[in-house]
Amino acid sequence: MSYFRTAILLAALTALFMGIGFLLGGQTGMVMALVLAGGMNLFAYWNSDKAVLKMYGAHLVDPNQGRDARELYDMVGQLARNANLPMPKVYVMDNPQPNAFATGRNPQNAAVAVTTGLMQTVTKEELAGVIAHELAHIRHHDTLLMTITATIAGAISMLANFAMFFGGNRDNNHMGFIGTLALMILGPLAAGLVQMAISRTREYQADKGGAEICGHPLWLASALQKIAGGAARIPNEEAEENPASAHLFIVNPLHGVRLDNLFATHPPMEERVARLVAMANGAGSTGGGAFTPERGTRSDPAASGPWSGSVPDSPRGGSRGPWG
């Protein structure tokens, strides 16, 4: 049912894009809108992963870089095997906000990126839950889906802005100034709502898939609560400058103003945690292929994880973790 709903929402987004093209230029405008969408999606298909990784200053993890790098790399590899996925590339972002995302056009060209803030905040078990969530996105091809929806939504906003300058031809004279103004406002708003609905649907599925991959739903539930707490008080400067990429992260990275749930790119945290707890209670805490982290010697009693330490209070201050 979730995939059917996603398909319906994506079809609605495409139809909205073509409809705006028709209102602006009749049949010619609709065809041009379709061609434009195809070109933008083709560009996004090949380049979106590189662009977003560069945007956040992510650097590739070398497993020979040190013990922490090797542990992270091996963890991703074991979880990828649990998920029957090729080994994705592993990146680290020098950012104090705990968060993570996955990107890539398909499982063969995928990447998982985590922040140094995440490494400092969660235990090894919780980190496994986060990585498993991102691998679930890759397995479900959500990384490509969200790129396409973001591209179409951006194109709708661009077309709506063009309406004020090119909205007076004979095919749409009846719209008038008020109609054109309404199109400029309602077009991007509708596109944003559809995009958010798709994103929220896929997050629930990635939570479920991630819990199955790591075998412990409560690991992910605990990690989500810690990440949400850190994201609420530590700004992510790159995300604030590029809010259209917020839906990529496991938890909304935007800081400060809280919007109504209708406009949230992620499902309510309470509901996500509740579903994971129910999953753990209903199926047991571990599955047959559960991930079992090796116990290191660096665990802090308070943090009980390999990357002990608290998230710095200052957005750019304090320890940066093993890659800082």
Side-chain angles (χ1 to χ4, degrees):
M1 182 63 185
S2 174
Y3 287 102
F4 177 75
R5 181 185 177 191
T6 300
I8 293 296
L9 289 168
L10 185 57
L13 194 62
T14 304
L16 177 63
F17 183 55
M18 296 178 66
I20 291 177
F22 179 79
L23 288 174
L24 293 179
Q27 292 184 350
T28 301
M30 184 171 65
V31 172
M32 291 180 63
L34 183 61
V35 172
L36 178 62
M40 295 181 71
N41 283 330
L42 186 62
F43 178 82
Y45 180 83
W46 291 105
N47 298 286
S48 61
D49 55 339
K50 303 179 187 69
V52 72
L53 289 167
K54 183 177 181 180
M55 179 191 305
Y56 285 97
H59 54 273
L60 189 65
V61 170
D62 180 358
N64 300 314
Q65 190 174 354
R67 176 181 174 182
D68 293 312
R70 168 58 67 180
E71 287 183 348
L72 176 62
Y73 187 88
D74 289 346
M75 177 186 291
V76 174
Q78 183 178 344
L79 289 166
R81 289 190 293 273
N82 282 7
N84 294 317
L85 288 171
M87 176 68 183
K89 293 181 179 179
V90 185
Y91 286 83
V92 169
M93 299 169 281
D94 185 16
N95 192 308
Q97 184 188 89
N99 230 317
F101 67 78
T103 186
R105 60 185 181 271
N106 54 39
Q108 290 71 37
N109 296 276
V112 172
V114 301
T115 66
T116 50
L118 179 69
M119 305 281 285
Q120 295 166 345
T121 302
V122 300
T123 67
K124 184 179 289 187
E125 292 82 1
E126 291 163 345
L127 181 62
V130 171
I131 293 172
H133 170 101
E134 300 305 333
L135 291 174
H137 273 309
I138 294 171
R139 187 168 66 179
H140 298 158
H141 296 271
D142 292 340
T143 51
L144 176 60
L145 174 66
M146 296 313 301
T147 296
I148 292 175
T149 57
T151 301
I152 297 178
I156 288 175
S157 298
M158 182 178 64
L159 278 182
N161 288 332
F162 284 167
M164 183 62 73
F165 301 99
F166 302 102
N169 64 43
R170 63 188 179 189
D171 289 321
N172 66 321
N173 255 344
H174 60 278
M175 290 178 60
F177 175 78
I178 299 300
T180 302
L181 184 62
L183 179 63
M184 291 179 61
I185 297 173
L186 297 179
L189 178 61
L193 291 177
V194 174
Q195 181 189 7
M196 291 169 191
I198 294 174
S199 177
R200 294 171 75 171
T201 298
R202 303 319 307 155
E203 286 301 318
Y204 281 133
Q205 289 302 305
D207 285 345
K208 181 176 183 293
E212 292 170 347
I213 290 170
C214 74
H216 296 266
L218 296 182
W219 289 358
L220 178 55
S222 178
L224 288 174
Q225 291 175 310
K226 287 185 178 181
I227 296 170
R233 67 185 182 88
I234 302 175
N236 184 326
E237 295 175 6
E238 291 80 7
E240 297 292 344
E241 295 173 359
N242 302 277
S245 63
H247 66 282
L248 295 174
F249 287 85
I250 188 171
V251 170
N252 188 354
L254 301 181
H255 183 263
V257 180
R258 287 180 56 90
L259 299 178
D260 186 85
N261 284 337
L262 178 65
F263 298 95
T265 57
H266 294 68
M269 184 56 62
E270 296 80 3
E271 177 64 20
R272 294 176 71 179
V273 171
R275 291 189 182 201
L276 288 166
V277 171
M279 186 177 177
N281 291 337
S285 63
T286 183
F291 171 79
T292 304
E294 297 179 1
R295 300 293 176 178
T297 58
R298 291 190 59 203
S299 296
D300 184 277
S304 65
W307 298 282
S308 57
S310 59
V311 180
D313 291 327
S314 171
R316 296 294 176 192
S319 172
R320 296 300 182 93
W323 287 273

PDB file of all heavy atoms in Angstrom, residues 32 71 75 92 125 127 133 150-151 160 163 205 208 233 242 250 295:
ATOM      1  N   MET A  32       6.543  21.396 -23.482  1.00  0.00           N
ATOM      2  CA  MET A  32       7.805  21.981 -23.051  1.00  0.00           C
ATOM      3  C   MET A  32       8.096  21.654 -21.590  1.00  0.00           C
ATOM      4  O   MET A  32       9.250  21.402 -21.216  1.00  0.00           O
ATOM      5  CB  MET A  32       7.779  23.493 -23.272  1.00  0.00           C
ATOM      6  CG  MET A  32       7.797  23.915 -24.730  1.00  0.00           C
ATOM      7  SD  MET A  32       7.765  25.707 -24.941  1.00  0.00           S
ATOM      8  CE  MET A  32       9.319  26.168 -24.145  1.00  0.00           C
ATOM      9  N   GLU A  71      36.352   0.661  11.821  1.00  0.00           N
ATOM     10  CA  GLU A  71      35.138   0.180  12.473  1.00  0.00           C
ATOM     11  C   GLU A  71      33.891   0.654  11.748  1.00  0.00           C
ATOM     12  O   GLU A  71      32.940  -0.115  11.552  1.00  0.00           O
ATOM     13  CB  GLU A  71      35.112   0.643  13.937  1.00  0.00           C
ATOM     14  CG  GLU A  71      36.085  -0.087  14.836  1.00  0.00           C
ATOM     15  CD  GLU A  71      35.976   0.354  16.284  1.00  0.00           C
ATOM     16  OE1 GLU A  71      35.315   1.385  16.545  1.00  0.00           O
ATOM     17  OE2 GLU A  71      36.546  -0.329  17.155  1.00  0.00           O
ATOM     18  N   MET A  75      31.358  -1.783   9.769  1.00  0.00           N
ATOM     19  CA  MET A  75      29.963  -1.804  10.184  1.00  0.00           C
ATOM     20  C   MET A  75      29.039  -1.643   8.983  1.00  0.00           C
ATOM     21  O   MET A  75      28.048  -2.380   8.826  1.00  0.00           O
ATOM     22  CB  MET A  75      29.685  -0.697  11.208  1.00  0.00           C
ATOM     23  CG  MET A  75      28.236  -0.598  11.655  1.00  0.00           C
ATOM     24  SD  MET A  75      27.917   0.819  12.724  1.00  0.00           S
ATOM     25  CE  MET A  75      28.807   0.335  14.192  1.00  0.00           C
ATOM     26  N   VAL A  92      32.032  10.900   5.639  1.00  0.00           N
ATOM     27  CA  VAL A  92      31.865  11.592   6.919  1.00  0.00           C
ATOM     28  C   VAL A  92      31.813  13.090   6.645  1.00  0.00           C
ATOM     29  O   VAL A  92      32.604  13.614   5.851  1.00  0.00           O
ATOM     30  CB  VAL A  92      32.997  11.262   7.905  1.00  0.00           C
ATOM     31  CG1 VAL A  92      32.956  12.193   9.113  1.00  0.00           C
ATOM     32  CG2 VAL A  92      32.898   9.823   8.365  1.00  0.00           C
ATOM     33  N   GLU A 125      25.730   0.567  18.792  1.00  0.00           N
ATOM     34  CA  GLU A 125      24.473  -0.087  18.422  1.00  0.00           C
ATOM     35  C   GLU A 125      23.513   0.895  17.754  1.00  0.00           C
ATOM     36  O   GLU A 125      22.859   0.576  16.754  1.00  0.00           O
ATOM     37  CB  GLU A 125      23.818  -0.707  19.666  1.00  0.00           C
ATOM     38  CG  GLU A 125      24.575  -1.884  20.264  1.00  0.00           C
ATOM     39  CD  GLU A 125      25.724  -1.458  21.181  1.00  0.00           C
ATOM     40  OE1 GLU A 125      25.916  -0.231  21.356  1.00  0.00           O
ATOM     41  OE2 GLU A 125      26.423  -2.330  21.714  1.00  0.00           O
ATOM     42  N   LEU A 127      24.337   3.648  16.205  1.00  0.00           N
ATOM     43  CA  LEU A 127      24.886   3.996  14.892  1.00  0.00           C
ATOM     44  C   LEU A 127      24.534   2.921  13.870  1.00  0.00           C
ATOM     45  O   LEU A 127      24.208   3.230  12.712  1.00  0.00           O
ATOM     46  CB  LEU A 127      26.400   4.162  14.988  1.00  0.00           C
ATOM     47  CG  LEU A 127      27.113   4.547  13.686  1.00  0.00           C
ATOM     48  CD1 LEU A 127      26.635   5.912  13.181  1.00  0.00           C
ATOM     49  CD2 LEU A 127      28.629   4.546  13.880  1.00  0.00           C
ATOM     50  N   HIS A 133      18.964   2.183   8.617  1.00  0.00           N
ATOM     51  CA  HIS A 133      17.888   3.012   8.072  1.00  0.00           C
ATOM     52  C   HIS A 133      18.287   3.571   6.711  1.00  0.00           C
ATOM     53  O   HIS A 133      17.490   3.536   5.754  1.00  0.00           O
ATOM     54  CB  HIS A 133      17.592   4.153   9.053  1.00  0.00           C
ATOM     55  CG  HIS A 133      16.673   5.210   8.512  1.00  0.00           C
ATOM     56  ND1 HIS A 133      15.327   5.274   8.833  1.00  0.00           N
ATOM     57  CD2 HIS A 133      16.903   6.261   7.679  1.00  0.00           C
ATOM     58  CE1 HIS A 133      14.787   6.306   8.210  1.00  0.00           C
ATOM     59  NE2 HIS A 133      15.722   6.924   7.512  1.00  0.00           N
ATOM     60  N   ALA A 150      12.258  16.144  -5.735  1.00  0.00           N
ATOM     61  CA  ALA A 150      12.831  17.464  -5.457  1.00  0.00           C
ATOM     62  C   ALA A 150      13.052  18.238  -6.749  1.00  0.00           C
ATOM     63  O   ALA A 150      12.823  19.455  -6.815  1.00  0.00           O
ATOM     64  CB  ALA A 150      14.147  17.311  -4.694  1.00  0.00           C
ATOM     65  N   THR A 151      13.469  17.532  -7.811  1.00  0.00           N
ATOM     66  CA  THR A 151      13.714  18.193  -9.092  1.00  0.00           C
ATOM     67  C   THR A 151      12.417  18.713  -9.692  1.00  0.00           C
ATOM     68  O   THR A 151      12.343  19.854 -10.167  1.00  0.00           O
ATOM     69  CB  THR A 151      14.387  17.214 -10.071  1.00  0.00           C
ATOM     70  OG1 THR A 151      15.624  16.755  -9.490  1.00  0.00           O
ATOM     71  CG2 THR A 151      14.683  17.886 -11.396  1.00  0.00           C
ATOM     72  N   ALA A 160       6.170  28.491 -12.054  1.00  0.00           N
ATOM     73  CA  ALA A 160       5.225  29.422 -11.433  1.00  0.00           C
ATOM     74  C   ALA A 160       5.785  30.842 -11.424  1.00  0.00           C
ATOM     75  O   ALA A 160       5.049  31.817 -11.609  1.00  0.00           O
ATOM     76  CB  ALA A 160       4.901  28.966 -10.018  1.00  0.00           C
ATOM     77  N   ALA A 163       5.320  32.478 -14.645  1.00  0.00           N
ATOM     78  CA  ALA A 163       3.927  32.813 -14.969  1.00  0.00           C
ATOM     79  C   ALA A 163       3.710  34.322 -15.008  1.00  0.00           C
ATOM     80  O   ALA A 163       2.940  34.830 -15.839  1.00  0.00           O
ATOM     81  CB  ALA A 163       2.987  32.173 -13.947  1.00  0.00           C
ATOM     82  N   GLN A 205       8.812   3.632   6.011  1.00  0.00           N
ATOM     83  CA  GLN A 205       9.273   2.380   5.431  1.00  0.00           C
ATOM     84  C   GLN A 205      10.761   2.149   5.699  1.00  0.00           C
ATOM     85  O   GLN A 205      11.190   1.014   5.924  1.00  0.00           O
ATOM     86  CB  GLN A 205       8.994   2.377   3.927  1.00  0.00           C
ATOM     87  CG  GLN A 205       7.521   2.258   3.573  1.00  0.00           C
ATOM     88  CD  GLN A 205       6.892   0.991   4.144  1.00  0.00           C
ATOM     89  OE1 GLN A 205       7.376  -0.120   3.912  1.00  0.00           O
ATOM     90  NE2 GLN A 205       5.817   1.150   4.900  1.00  0.00           N
ATOM     91  N   LYS A 208      11.218   0.918   9.274  1.00  0.00           N
ATOM     92  CA  LYS A 208      10.873  -0.512   9.357  1.00  0.00           C
ATOM     93  C   LYS A 208      11.967  -1.362   8.732  1.00  0.00           C
ATOM     94  O   LYS A 208      12.412  -2.359   9.315  1.00  0.00           O
ATOM     95  CB  LYS A 208       9.532  -0.756   8.661  1.00  0.00           C
ATOM     96  CG  LYS A 208       9.044  -2.210   8.689  1.00  0.00           C
ATOM     97  CD  LYS A 208       7.660  -2.314   8.061  1.00  0.00           C
ATOM     98  CE  LYS A 208       7.129  -3.742   8.146  1.00  0.00           C
ATOM     99  NZ  LYS A 208       7.906  -4.688   7.316  1.00  0.00           N
ATOM    100  N   ARG A 233      18.975  21.655  18.909  1.00  0.00           N
ATOM    101  CA  ARG A 233      19.768  22.706  19.557  1.00  0.00           C
ATOM    102  C   ARG A 233      21.069  23.039  18.836  1.00  0.00           C
ATOM    103  O   ARG A 233      21.723  24.021  19.185  1.00  0.00           O
ATOM    104  CB  ARG A 233      20.071  22.318  21.016  1.00  0.00           C
ATOM    105  CG  ARG A 233      20.980  21.123  21.191  1.00  0.00           C
ATOM    106  CD  ARG A 233      21.123  20.749  22.668  1.00  0.00           C
ATOM    107  NE  ARG A 233      22.036  19.634  22.870  1.00  0.00           N
ATOM    108  CZ  ARG A 233      23.333  19.747  23.033  1.00  0.00           C
ATOM    109  NH1 ARG A 233      23.893  20.942  23.015  1.00  0.00           N
ATOM    110  NH2 ARG A 233      24.083  18.682  23.206  1.00  0.00           N
ATOM    111  N   ASN A 242      20.678  25.409   2.324  1.00  0.00           N
ATOM    112  CA  ASN A 242      20.095  24.595   1.248  1.00  0.00           C
ATOM    113  C   ASN A 242      18.914  23.798   1.794  1.00  0.00           C
ATOM    114  O   ASN A 242      18.967  22.561   1.878  1.00  0.00           O
ATOM    115  CB  ASN A 242      21.148  23.645   0.673  1.00  0.00           C
ATOM    116  CG  ASN A 242      22.361  24.368   0.131  1.00  0.00           C
ATOM    117  OD1 ASN A 242      22.357  24.840  -0.992  1.00  0.00           O
ATOM    118  ND2 ASN A 242      23.412  24.448   0.943  1.00  0.00           N
ATOM    119  N   ILE A 250      18.031  11.751   8.007  1.00  0.00           N
ATOM    120  CA  ILE A 250      17.210  10.850   8.808  1.00  0.00           C
ATOM    121  C   ILE A 250      16.308  11.626   9.757  1.00  0.00           C
ATOM    122  O   ILE A 250      15.201  11.211  10.074  1.00  0.00           O
ATOM    123  CB  ILE A 250      18.103   9.846   9.591  1.00  0.00           C
ATOM    124  CG1 ILE A 250      17.237   8.781  10.272  1.00  0.00           C
ATOM    125  CG2 ILE A 250      19.000  10.558  10.594  1.00  0.00           C
ATOM    126  CD1 ILE A 250      18.050   7.637  10.865  1.00  0.00           C
ATOM    127  N   ARG A 295      32.706  -5.398  20.584  1.00  0.00           N
ATOM    128  CA  ARG A 295      32.888  -4.514  21.743  1.00  0.00           C
ATOM    129  C   ARG A 295      34.308  -3.985  21.778  1.00  0.00           C
ATOM    130  O   ARG A 295      35.273  -4.745  21.835  1.00  0.00           O
ATOM    131  CB  ARG A 295      32.584  -5.271  23.036  1.00  0.00           C
ATOM    132  CG  ARG A 295      31.162  -5.790  23.089  1.00  0.00           C
ATOM    133  CD  ARG A 295      30.174  -4.653  23.159  1.00  0.00           C
ATOM    134  NE  ARG A 295      28.801  -5.139  23.114  1.00  0.00           N
ATOM    135  CZ  ARG A 295      27.732  -4.373  23.202  1.00  0.00           C
ATOM    136  NH1 ARG A 295      27.888  -3.068  23.315  1.00  0.00           N
ATOM    137  NH2 ARG A 295      26.527  -4.874  23.149  1.00  0.00           N
TER     138      ARG A 295
END
